[in-house]
Amino acid sequence: MKKLVKNSVLAALGMSLAMSAAVVHAQDKKVLGVALPNLTNPYYVAMKKSFEENGAKQGFEVRVLIADNDDAKQLSQVQTMIQQGVNAVALNCVSSGPCVASVSELNQAKVPVFTINLLPDPSSLTAQNLKVEQAVQTDQKAGGVYIGKQLLKDIGADGNAVIGIVGEPTSVAAIARDNGFKEAVASNPNVKFVALVNGKVEETTSLKVTTEMLQGNPDITVVYSDTEPSALGAIAAIQQFGRDDVKLYAFVDKLGVKHIEDNSILKAGAIQEPAKLAQIQVENIKKFLNGEKLEPIIDSPPLLVNKDNAAETVDKAY
C-alpha cells in the first residue's frame, strides 16, 4: 500500500514538473504580431500564409490581424497587439500617411516595428523622430529594368519598337516600374514611346484606353503595362482590335503568368513575391531579437517571367 502511495506521489510530481516545463517553454516563445491591410487581395493571402509558416519555423507564435483596408482599424489592432505584449510587430500599412501613427504607438511602447511592402511615410517618420528597425519591400524599379531588358533581347540589339504605356501615373510603385523599364530600353535608339494612358488598375478601363491608344497610334508594336489588371485589359483590346502583331510586356500576377506561358500576346513580365518578403522579414526579426544588427532597408527584386520559366512559375504566383 505504501509503495502504491509512493508511486502515485512520484507520478503526480512528474506530471507537475512536466506541466511547469511546458509553461516555461510557452513563456519563452516569442510572439510576433502581424498587421495586414486585407485578405481580399491574393497578394496578402500569400503573405499571411508565409508569415504563419515561416514564423512557426523560427519558433514564433504568430498573431495576424486584418484591417479591412481601414487605417483607424489598423491603428486599433496595433494598440491591441501592444496590450497583448507582443515581442515585435510586422506592419504592412493600409496607407503610408496614417500608418505613421501605428509606428508612433509601437515606439512609445518600446515594441520593435518592422515594415513590409507598403511602408509608412518616410518624411513623417523623420519629422517625428520615429524608428522602424527594418523595412522589406519589392524593388519595383528593378522589375521594370528586367522587363525592358527582356524586350531588347526579344527584338534584337538594333530592333525597332514603338511603345504605348498603359499605366497608373498616380502610383509611386507604378512610376518606379515605368522608370526602370524606360531606362532599360534607352540604350536602343530604335525604341520610342508614343503614348501613355491611365488604366486606373482596372481591367475594363484598361481595355477602353488601350483600344483608344491603338486607334490613335496605329504604328504601336509593343504595349507595356505596369499592373496586371491593365495587362489583362490590354490583352482584350489587342485581341478585339485584331492587332495580333502587337506584343505585351507587363507586371503580372497568376493570370498574367498563364498568359506568358501561352506566349501569344503577353511575352514576358515580372511578379512580386509576397511570400518571399514575409520569409525575409521573419528571418530578420529573429536575428534582431537575438541581438544582430540589421540593414535599415531590404529591396527584394521581383521575379522575371518569360516563356522559359512561366510553366514552373504559375504555382508560385499569387
Side-chain angles (χ1 to χ4, degrees):
M1 181 69 178
K2 287 182 180 180
K3 187 174 182 180
L4 181 61
V5 171
K6 184 178 179 181
N7 288 343
S8 298
V9 170
L10 289 172
L13 180 60
M15 184 178 294
S16 177
L17 289 171
M19 290 176 66
S20 298
V23 170
V24 170
H25 178 71
Q27 289 175 342
D28 286 344
K29 198 167 191 177
K30 303 289 187 184
V31 180
L32 172 60
V34 178
L36 298 180
N38 63 69
L39 287 181
T40 56
N41 186 339
Y43 182 94
Y44 293 118
V45 175
M47 184 176 282
K48 175 179 182 288
K49 182 180 179 183
S50 180
F51 266 118
E52 291 168 340
E53 291 178 351
N54 287 287
K57 287 178 186 176
Q58 296 297 331
F60 287 111
E61 177 189 333
V62 179
R63 298 177 188 169
V64 182
L65 293 179
I66 308 301
D68 300 320
N69 295 325
D70 185 327
D71 292 300
K73 184 174 182 179
Q74 185 166 72
L75 176 59
S76 176
Q77 290 177 337
V78 166
Q79 291 167 336
T80 297
M81 291 178 185
I82 292 170
Q83 292 166 2
Q84 291 175 346
V86 298
N87 298 98
V89 168
L91 175 62
N92 190 136
C93 301
V94 171
S95 46
S96 294
C99 191
V100 173
S102 292
V103 177
S104 178
E105 292 277 338
L106 290 161
N107 278 191
Q108 290 177 44
K110 295 183 169 35
V111 176
V113 55
F114 302 78
T115 55
I116 185 169
N117 187 47
L118 183 63
L119 312 182
D121 179 55
S123 59
S124 296
L125 292 178
T126 302
Q128 298 181 43
N129 196 29
L130 299 176
K131 185 177 185 182
V132 170
E133 301 300 339
Q134 186 178 72
V136 177
Q137 61 187 359
T138 299
D139 189 337
Q140 305 290 356
K141 186 176 181 179
V145 170
Y146 292 165
I147 297 171
K149 287 183 176 178
Q150 182 67 53
L151 170 61
L152 293 185
K153 182 179 178 182
D154 291 347
I155 65 174
D158 300 315
N160 295 285
V162 179
I163 303 174
I165 297 177
V166 185
E168 213 290 87
T170 62
S171 164
V172 173
I175 291 169
R177 294 171 177 183
D178 297 351
N179 288 341
F181 179 75
K182 290 174 182 176
E183 287 181 19
V185 301
S187 60
N188 185 338
N190 298 319
V191 173
K192 63 178 182 177
F193 294 86
V194 295
L196 166 63
V197 293
N198 188 353
K200 297 182 179 180
V201 200
E202 296 172 355
E203 187 172 342
T204 303
T205 301
S206 297
L207 166 59
K208 179 177 180 294
V209 297
T210 303
T211 300
E212 293 169 350
M213 182 176 71
L214 292 173
Q215 288 172 333
N217 300 272
D219 56 339
I220 283 178
T221 59
V222 171
V223 173
Y224 163 79
S225 299
D226 53 34
T227 66
E228 171 159 293
S230 289
L232 297 176
I235 289 171
I238 291 167
Q239 289 174 329
Q240 290 182 20
F241 203 55
R243 288 293 307 276
D244 292 343
D245 57 310
V246 176
K247 302 308 176 187
L248 177 66
Y249 292 77
F251 274 78
V252 295
D253 304 327
K254 187 179 284 290
L255 288 176
V257 173
K258 290 179 180 178
H259 279 284
I260 293 172
E261 187 178 6
D262 176 65
N263 215 245
S264 57
I265 294 174
L266 183 51
K267 308 305 287 185
I271 62 167
Q272 299 188 86
E273 298 183 276
K276 181 182 176 183
L277 293 183
Q279 179 183 355
I280 291 170
Q281 182 144 87
V282 168
E283 290 172 352
N284 285 340
I285 291 173
K286 179 75 169 182
K287 291 176 182 177
F288 175 84
L289 295 178
N290 286 338
E292 294 186 37
K293 289 187 176 182
L294 303 179
E295 293 293 323
I297 297 176
I298 291 181
D299 285 312
S300 179
L303 177 67
L304 175 70
V305 184
N306 54 31
K307 63 181 180 181
D308 296 327
N309 68 347
E312 65 191 54
T313 306
V314 168
D315 291 336
K316 297 178 185 177
Y318 56 89

